[in-house]
Amino acid sequence: MELCFHGRCTQRRQPPARHRIERKIRDLLDYTRARGPGIPIQREPTNLFELCKQNIDSMEQLHPTRRFRLEVEGDVQGEWDRERVLQLVSNLLSNAVKFGREGTPITAALKDLGDQVELAVHNQGAFIPPETVPRLFERFVRGDGPAATADQGLGLGLFIVKQIVLGHGGTVDVRSDDTEGTILTVRLPHRP
Ligand SMILES: Nc1ncnc2c1ncn2[C@@H]1O[C@H](COP(=O)(O)OP(=O)(O)O)[C@@H](O)[C@H]1O
Ligand SMILES: [Mg+2]
């Protein structure tokens, strides 16, 4: 992975079938929880840079032909649910791999915004149709391009991302077009 620090800074193959099935079951459980009391959040001191680095390290094992870039600017730590935020990062990065164009880099850019931390995940490739964008974070919404068809995902990844973000009092946005590709931007308050 290419690492890039701005300013002062504090800090191949498909996954085996068993892991994919386990992940689908976990996603369905999260979906059920989100319809009831919401996804439970257990806060602890968490460094978003470390979580992203950890996730990119394992993505690089799984997808040795893909290039990843991690940019960091300022203090990107917070009082968050570490496991949940790792799940959020993993959902965004695995989408970027799945829907990003082979041969183009995937960038995770972290930035301290003062009271919030921003994570922006960018990839090139087929853009999300404007009519899908308003419904993108709803459950079971998927694209119909070749990458989505081949993968047989559940369309729960971004729904779960949104639930985790809401549990932390944050926001998530998407920008997607023909020239820039797709950027998913999450902002989490450092603390409640
Ligand atoms: N990084 C991305 N680039 C392009 N399209 C994306 C990206 N992330 C998500 N999408 C689109 O949003 C849809 C929903 O994503 P998600 O909820 O993770 O479901 P799934 O990955 O199971 O298809 C995808 O099917 C795809 O069409
Ligand atoms: Mg997904």
Side-chain angles (χ1 to χ4, degrees), residues 95 98-101 122-133 136 142-148 158 174-184:
N95 276 351
K98 185 158 68 168
F99 301 109
R101 192 185 313 122
H122 172 254
N123 61 273
Q124 296 287 343
F127 65 101
I128 302 170
E131 63 272 18
T132 307
V133 168
L136 198 67
R142 306 198 66 216
D144 54 7
L158 290 182
V174 61
R175 253 184 32 222
S176 189
D177 64 50
D178 216 2
T179 46
E180 283 194 53
T182 299
I183 305 183
L184 270 292

Side-chain angles (χ1 to χ4, degrees), residues 87-106:
Q87 183 182 11
L88 174 160
V89 168
S90 160
N91 285 0
L92 294 180
L93 282 172
S94 58
N95 276 351
V97 168
K98 185 158 68 168
F99 301 109
R101 192 185 313 122
E102 189 76 42
T104 62
I106 291 159

Side-chain angles (χ1 to χ4, degrees), residues 71-99:
E71 298 177 1
V72 198
E73 193 174 333
D75 174 11
V76 295
Q77 303 171 87
E79 293 285 321
W80 303 315
D81 187 319
R82 182 192 299 262
E83 289 302 316
R84 288 301 182 179
V85 175
L86 181 59
Q87 183 182 11
L88 174 160
V89 168
S90 160
N91 285 0
L92 294 180
L93 282 172
S94 58
N95 276 351
V97 168
K98 185 158 68 168
F99 301 109

Side-chain angles (χ1 to χ4, degrees), residues 120-177:
V121 176
H122 172 254
N123 61 273
Q124 296 287 343
F127 65 101
I128 302 170
E131 63 272 18
T132 307
V133 168
R135 297 173 44 241
L136 198 67
F137 298 98
E138 293 174 16
R139 62 215 151 113
F140 304 127
V141 169
R142 306 198 66 216
D144 54 7
T149 316
D151 160 82
Q152 301 181 336
L154 290 172
L156 283 176
L158 290 182
F159 171 77
I160 291 169
V161 164
K162 173 113 189 199
Q163 301 307 308
I164 295 171
V165 165
L166 290 178
H168 285 86
T171 60
V172 57
D173 289 302
V174 61
R175 253 184 32 222
S176 189
D177 64 50

Side-chain angles (χ1 to χ4, degrees), residues 61 109-110 147 183:
Q61 304 275 317
L110 303 175
I183 305 183

